[in-house]
Amino acid sequence: MNKITPLHKRGDPWFDDGNIVLVPEDSSIAFKVHRDFLSRHSEIFKSMFELPTPTSEVPLLDDCQVVPMYDLPFELSNLIKALYDGTGPLEDFLYTAGILRLSTKYFITRLRIQAIQHLVQTTSHIHMSILYMSSTSLGRTNVQVIIPSVLYFLTLYHLSDLLSGNHVKLQVDHPSCPSADLSPQDLQAYTIMYQERIQIILRFIRHTCGERTAVHGCQSSVTCTKAFTRVSSRLSRTWRVRTGPLSYMVQVSDEVAEHDGICGPCKRPFRQDVTTLREDIWRRLPSVVGMSSWEELTKNDMPKP
């Protein structure tokens, strides 16, 4: 005789014409869905639903087979709804992190790629920090393409603050909020990227600005050279440890463009050189922590169909 499970709270989604019920572990919430639909999107789901179970031991709920799930109800609900209706509020970082985790776990390539595509465009420093915590501590998502930029932004925070996990964004009461634990490998990568970030700033101040000479066609080579020297001197006194070099370079370029002591012929190549330098720094960022190129990382994490 089949085992009738106690009535659970109907979760979202719950389809009256569904033919299988998913029940997260240690949860009173159940999701009634369509076996074939989920199987079509995930080989893992298909295999789970096909596992042989003695007929007499199959638990039933609402006349449907019950399948235990080892996921957070909140994240499982979001995953199922994303399969049926498309992804939800990707701008909600923790929502996206949950989708990434479960789409990776259940080999749902479409949702995984959508989540990764959104995350690589994330520019919020603290979101990048949470993303690193999530991907290393809880995620088990094996997403490599986000790591170089995440590490870059992570180094804008003091290590002691990261280890304590006391930032307000890390204390949000949310099912998908990650742990603040960092592994020895994480700490090593953080340190290497931190040192490189500082060196980038110093090289920019001392060489790109401080050793700048007048270009051909300069209207006053002595005046422009002295002006760049003064700019470098001021920057060397005012930069901060938490300065992000990529945005910092744009700010300096804009300041030089407005500088009365530098002529137009010298301003234009300086802006172009800064643009080229920023592009080169970004291109080389993965190699700082021993990773493949952006192109290779993108190819591996977001393969084209």
Side-chain angles (χ1 to χ4, degrees):
M1 181 176 181
N2 292 335
K3 178 182 178 182
I4 308 299
T5 64
L7 184 63
H8 285 60
K9 177 182 178 181
R10 293 188 176 190
D12 181 19
W14 179 280
F15 299 102
D16 290 333
D17 63 345
N19 54 13
I20 197 166
V21 175
L22 309 182
V23 179
E25 186 180 28
D26 299 326
S27 171
S28 62
I29 301 175
F31 306 98
K32 190 176 181 181
V33 294
H34 304 91
R35 178 198 302 263
D36 291 342
F37 179 82
L38 266 62
S39 296
R40 186 166 71 248
H41 286 279
S42 166
E43 288 294 324
I44 301 298
F45 279 144
K46 182 178 180 181
S47 299
M48 289 172 54
F49 300 158
E50 290 178 347
L51 288 176
T53 305
T55 305
S56 61
E57 297 181 9
V58 175
L60 297 179
L61 179 61
D62 205 36
D63 295 325
C64 296
Q65 177 185 351
V66 171
V67 177
M69 304 294 290
Y70 303 96
D71 307 299
L72 295 174
F74 174 83
E75 293 188 349
L76 183 60
S77 171
N78 285 338
L79 179 76
I80 298 172
K81 287 188 288 187
L83 284 173
Y84 277 94
D85 305 323
T87 50
L90 288 176
E91 66 277 4
D92 181 336
F93 173 79
L94 292 174
Y95 166 88
T96 305
I99 290 291
L100 175 59
R101 268 194 293 275
L102 292 197
S103 63
T104 300
K105 177 180 178 179
Y106 293 113
F107 288 19
I108 306 174
T109 303
R110 173 177 61 85
L111 294 184
R112 173 180 160 86
I113 291 178
Q114 287 178 359
I116 295 174
Q117 286 174 335
H118 177 76
L119 292 175
V120 297
Q121 299 171 5
T122 299
T123 56
S124 166
H125 294 181
I126 188 58
H127 277 177
M128 280 293 186
S129 301
I130 298 175
L131 175 56
Y132 193 75
M133 305 292 191
S134 179
S135 62
T136 59
S137 301
L138 294 181
R140 297 184 296 277
T141 59
N142 196 32
V143 179
Q144 299 296 299
V145 71
I146 61 176
I147 298 302
S149 53
V150 167
L151 277 170
Y152 170 83
F153 286 112
L154 194 70
T155 63
L156 299 180
Y157 294 87
H158 294 299
L159 182 58
S160 59
D161 293 337
L162 296 174
L163 294 177
S164 66
N166 59 5
H167 192 286
V168 63
K169 291 292 186 179
L170 292 174
Q171 296 178 333
V172 174
D173 185 14
H174 190 285
S176 298
C177 195
S179 163
D181 295 334
L182 293 176
S183 70
Q185 292 76 20
D186 300 331
L187 296 176
Q188 176 178 321
Y190 170 93
T191 302
I192 293 173
M193 184 64 76
Y194 184 95
Q195 292 176 331
E196 178 63 17
R197 182 175 61 81
I198 299 301
Q199 288 301 316
I200 288 172
I201 295 173
L202 295 178
R203 287 195 295 266
F204 172 71
I205 293 174
R206 295 169 180 172
H207 303 299
T208 306
C209 298
E211 297 177 2
R212 192 80 181 177
T213 57
V215 300
H216 178 70
C218 173
Q219 297 171 0
S220 178
S221 60
V222 174
T223 299
C224 288
T225 299
K226 287 183 177 179
F228 276 114
T229 300
R230 287 194 292 270
V231 168
S232 174
S233 177
R234 180 182 61 80
L235 296 177
S236 66
R237 297 191 306 271
T238 59
W239 76 279
R240 297 291 181 265
V241 173
R242 286 194 57 183
T243 298
L246 295 177
S247 58
Y248 184 63
M249 291 177 186
V250 173
Q251 295 172 9
V252 174
S253 181
D254 290 341
E255 290 178 14
V256 168
E258 300 295 327
H259 200 296
D260 293 335
I262 301 175
C263 71
C266 284
K267 290 177 179 179
R268 288 188 288 274
F270 178 77
R271 181 178 290 277
Q272 182 56 52
D273 288 348
V274 170
T275 298
T276 301
L277 177 60
R278 292 177 74 247
E279 292 173 349
D280 184 60
I281 290 170
W282 184 258
R283 178 183 58 81
R284 295 186 295 103
L285 200 62
S287 66
V288 173
V289 287
M291 300 182 72
S292 303
S293 67
W294 286 116
E295 292 76 16
E296 190 65 25
L297 294 174
T298 300
K299 177 182 177 181
N300 292 337
D301 284 341
M302 295 182 286
K304 296 182 179 180

